[in-house]
């Protein structure tokens, strides 16, 4: 299969390395134009601390035209611009996977969807840490859920895709109701990401009883907004899920906390900012998510001084 990974971050390089290990895949990597120093190889350190080298094939426009599968591994805020640039190059039969934090309505992108093209969301729980330029560490084995968000996919194409991804980086499950999973992931990110960044703590600290009241308040707002999108979530189940994720990733530094530390742009506008924006549209007050959105914006602007 001809595969192009777009994005040289921790998740993009994880998929690039794993898919390149399958002899039947022809994988290439499309980096941001800002990356000028392109090395010959990347280093991958697996979960048992073994390091591996992999030659990198960089994707040209021809690679994008011939790709059967394109996997976007970009931050939510970079996705629309990248899709505007690359989408005209994709062939009609290419399958497109979007992997990012936060919620995005790809149907609202300023581009018409190509007829029959499968647009798939991928939600991952793998831990991948970028330790240097083209150098990553697989810090935690996880799982990926994928499901159709727009367009069409035949049963045949779907099972080939799931099998191929599963062979490269298990486990991968096809989800018929990916929309609900996306809202659950959004809820997790609405709690763990801003709180770990504001309190400058590892994920595990968020499971502490002192955060429980605030967690309930944040999640209650997400539940109300999700209902407006025809997604019914249970506050009780969500609270338990958030605490479980915080405990399972106890020693991890969340992506938002890492972004703040590294003085990078955060995904807050697509996480708590998205809940705030939807609250304004549907006339539902979201004081807790709004406050977190503003606090992170303030923290990020201080960071730049
Ligand atoms: O963004 C992140 O860091 C992750 O999505 C999560 C689940 C909060 C774990 O760190």
């Amino acid at each position: 299969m001809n595969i192009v990974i777009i994005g040289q971050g921790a998740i993009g390089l994880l998929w690039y390395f794993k898919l390149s290990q399958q002899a039947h895949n022809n994988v290439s990597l499309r980096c941001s134009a800002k990356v000028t120093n392109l090395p010959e190889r990347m280093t991958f350190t697996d979960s048992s601390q073994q390091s591996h080298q992999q030659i990198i094939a960089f994707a040209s426009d021809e690679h994008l035209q011939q790709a059967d599968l394109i996997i976007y591994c970009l931050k939510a805020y970079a996705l629309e611009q990248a899709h505007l640039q690359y989408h005209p190059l994709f062939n009609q039969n290419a399958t497109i996977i979007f992997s990012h934090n936060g919620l995005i309505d790809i149907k609202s992108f300023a581009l018409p969807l190509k007829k029959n093209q499968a647009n798939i969301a991928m939600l991952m729980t793998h831990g991948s840490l970028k330790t240097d330029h083209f150098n990553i560490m697989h810090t935690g084995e996880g799982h990926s859920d994928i499901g159709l968000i727009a367009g069409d996919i035949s049963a045949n194409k779907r099972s080939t895709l799931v099998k191929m991804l599963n062979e490269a980086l298990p486990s991968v499950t096809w989800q018929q109701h990916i929309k609900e999973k996306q809202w659950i992931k959004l809820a997790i990110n609405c709690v763990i990401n801003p709180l770990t960044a504001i309190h400058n703590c590892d994920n595990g600290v968020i499971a502490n009883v002192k955060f429980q009241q605030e967690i309930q308040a944040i999640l209650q707002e997400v539940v109300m907004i999700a209902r407006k999108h025809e997604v019914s979530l249970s506050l009780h189940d969500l609270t338990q899920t958030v605490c479980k994720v915080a405990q399972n990733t106890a020693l991890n530094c969340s992506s938002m906390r890492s972004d703040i530390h590294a003085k990078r742009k955060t995904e807050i506008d697509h996480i708590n900012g998205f809940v705030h924006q939807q609250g304004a549209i549907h006339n539902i007050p979201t004081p807790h998510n709004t406050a977190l959105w503003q606090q992170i914006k303030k923290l990020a602007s201080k960071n730049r001084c």
Side-chain angles (χ1 to χ4, degrees):
M1 194 181 281
N2 291 328
I3 306 171
V4 177
I5 310 291
I6 301 181
Q8 70 287 345
I11 295 295
L13 292 178
L14 176 64
W15 275 111
Y16 179 81
F17 179 83
K18 290 290 181 175
L19 289 165
S20 300
Q21 307 313 298
Q22 315 295 126
H24 48 264
N25 289 333
N26 177 19
V27 194
S28 54
L29 180 74
R30 183 71 171 224
C31 296
S32 141
K34 283 190 222 131
V35 185
T36 45
N37 182 10
L38 298 177
E40 242 176 62
R41 289 158 208 277
M42 65 166 285
T43 307
F44 172 80
T45 306
D46 66 26
S47 39
S48 51
Q49 309 298 315
Q50 295 283 324
S51 278
H52 312 263
Q53 298 277 311
Q54 172 65 45
I55 290 181
I56 310 178
F58 290 101
S60 63
D61 284 357
E62 283 80 56
H63 285 99
L64 285 163
Q65 282 156 357
Q66 282 155 22
D68 306 302
L69 174 65
I70 294 118
I71 310 182
Y72 279 111
C73 300
L74 295 176
K75 295 281 192 184
Y77 54 76
L79 205 46
E80 182 166 8
Q81 199 45 48
H83 200 48
L84 277 170
Q85 180 186 348
Y86 298 131
H87 185 256
L89 297 171
F90 302 164
N91 76 68
Q92 182 71 48
N93 296 316
T95 297
I96 308 167
I97 295 184
F98 298 88
S99 171
H100 57 87
N101 273 340
L103 264 183
I104 280 179
D105 179 10
I106 64 148
K107 289 178 194 143
S108 71
F109 282 8
L111 269 173
L113 294 170
K114 286 189 179 166
K115 208 171 158 271
N116 298 332
Q117 196 157 63
N119 291 271
I120 289 171
M122 175 186 270
L123 308 171
M124 297 176 64
T125 63
H126 285 269
S128 183
L129 184 69
K130 196 164 178 179
T131 49
D132 205 347
H133 200 53
F134 292 90
N135 215 313
I136 59 155
M137 237 168 114
H138 195 185
T139 49
E141 298 284 344
H143 176 77
S144 305
D145 282 316
I146 60 171
L148 201 63
I149 46 171
D152 254 328
I153 189 162
S154 69
N156 231 340
K157 216 169 169 180
R158 190 181 75 196
S159 63
T160 308
L161 177 69
V162 175
K163 184 169 176 280
M164 188 277 292
L165 294 175
N166 244 316
E167 279 166 5
L169 181 58
S171 53
V172 179
T173 309
W174 181 264
Q175 291 291 344
Q176 217 49 50
H177 302 290
I178 195 74
K179 192 172 165 190
E180 190 186 313
K181 297 266 177 198
Q182 286 180 295
W183 279 90
I184 295 172
K185 166 105 170 113
L186 176 72
I188 295 167
N189 289 137
C190 278
V191 172
I192 298 180
N193 294 35
L195 292 182
T196 52
I198 291 164
H199 298 280
N200 194 17
C201 60
D202 289 344
N203 291 358
V205 175
I206 302 307
N208 194 296
V209 71
K210 74 171 186 187
F211 288 108
Q212 285 312 300
Q213 218 177 332
E214 190 173 4
I215 292 176
Q216 293 269 322
I218 300 164
L219 293 177
Q220 180 60 55
E221 294 172 8
V222 178
V223 169
M224 287 194 297
I225 300 292
R227 209 173 287 147
K228 290 284 170 194
H229 288 255
E230 275 136 37
V231 174
S232 163
L233 301 172
S234 138
L235 179 61
H236 175 260
D237 293 355
L238 265 191
T239 311
Q240 289 202 327
T241 304
V242 167
C243 289
K244 213 167 127 205
V245 173
Q247 280 157 355
N248 289 349
T249 60
L251 300 178
N252 280 20
C253 180
S254 78
S255 56
M256 193 167 289
R257 183 178 170 220
S258 306
D259 288 340
I260 293 282
H261 281 177
K263 300 187 191 304
R264 284 189 300 256
K265 187 172 173 176
T266 75
E267 294 178 290
I268 195 72
D269 289 343
H270 292 87
I271 301 177
N272 307 83
F274 175 79
V275 175
H276 163 81
Q277 178 224 31
Q278 289 299 309
I281 292 173
H282 296 288
N283 218 359
I284 297 173
T286 59
H288 291 87
N289 281 279
T290 303
L292 290 172
W293 173 55
Q294 288 167 344
Q295 271 175 278
I296 294 292
K297 287 288 211 198
K298 212 164 149 194
L299 204 58
S301 71
K302 259 200 223 141
N303 223 353
R304 276 194 286 275
C305 308

